[in-house]
């Protein structure tokens, strides 16, 4: 429970699956989750958060074949922060959820 993330949301695009040089599959996509609240006027409001998702191996294979844009899915994984450097020397930091399990709740119509 030290580093556990559980999200329910909808992919913004179909997952992109790549085969890496070491014969390992990787899937990437963004997941939209919605937060609902009532503002000071009593109106129901929605706030969308976007999360970077990544999966490896068999999980990436399953996601690539079953998960599509707009499906409602549940994911369980862990939060990972990493940084990389552009050729121009600019550093960038990224947070992403590394998926351990995925469940399709509802397919898009």
């Amino acid at each position: 429970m030290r580093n556990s993330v559980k999200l329910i949301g909808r992919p913004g695009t179909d997952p992109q699956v790549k085969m890496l040089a070491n014969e390992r599959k990787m899937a990437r996509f963004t997941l939209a989750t919605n937060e609902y609240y009532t503002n000071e006027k009593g109106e129901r409001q929605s706030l969308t958060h976007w999360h970077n998702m990544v999966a490896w191996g068999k999980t990436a294979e399953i996601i690539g074949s079953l998960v599509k844009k707009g499906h409602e899915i549940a994911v369980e994984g862990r939060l990972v922060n990493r940084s990389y450097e552009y050729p121009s020397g600019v550093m960038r930091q990224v947070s992403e959820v590394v998926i351990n399990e995925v469940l399709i709740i509802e397919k898009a119509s």
Side-chain angles (χ1 to χ4, degrees):
M1 300 243 340
R2 291 179 187 241
N3 185 355
S4 180
V5 176
K6 294 178 182 181
L7 298 170
I8 295 175
R10 296 182 186 272
T13 61
D14 288 347
Q16 300 297 309
V17 180
K18 294 182 183 179
M19 179 68 79
L20 301 179
N22 60 2
E23 299 293 318
R24 194 166 181 211
K25 284 192 178 179
M26 175 188 70
R28 284 191 180 281
F29 63 98
T30 56
L31 185 74
T33 58
N34 292 313
E35 179 181 337
Y36 299 97
Y37 64 96
T38 303
N39 67 13
E40 59 280 346
K41 296 178 183 176
E43 301 165 331
R44 184 175 162 96
Q45 300 290 310
S46 173
L47 180 61
T48 302
H49 298 281
W50 288 93
H51 311 275
N52 296 313
M53 312 301 288
V54 64
W56 297 94
K58 186 67 174 172
T59 305
E61 216 172 289
I62 292 166
I63 287 170
S65 64
L66 298 177
V67 174
K68 302 294 179 208
K69 175 183 178 177
H71 286 180
E72 185 174 31
I73 64 172
V75 297
E76 185 276 325
R78 67 186 192 283
L79 186 63
V80 174
N81 296 306
R82 62 182 177 85
S83 59
Y84 59 93
E85 186 175 346
Y86 283 108
S88 63
V90 175
M91 291 295 293
R92 172 146 180 183
Q93 187 163 353
V94 177
S95 295
E96 54 196 10
V97 176
V98 177
I99 300 171
N100 295 326
E101 293 184 45
V102 62
L103 173 67
I104 297 175
I105 297 172
E106 174 186 66
K107 293 188 176 187
S109 43

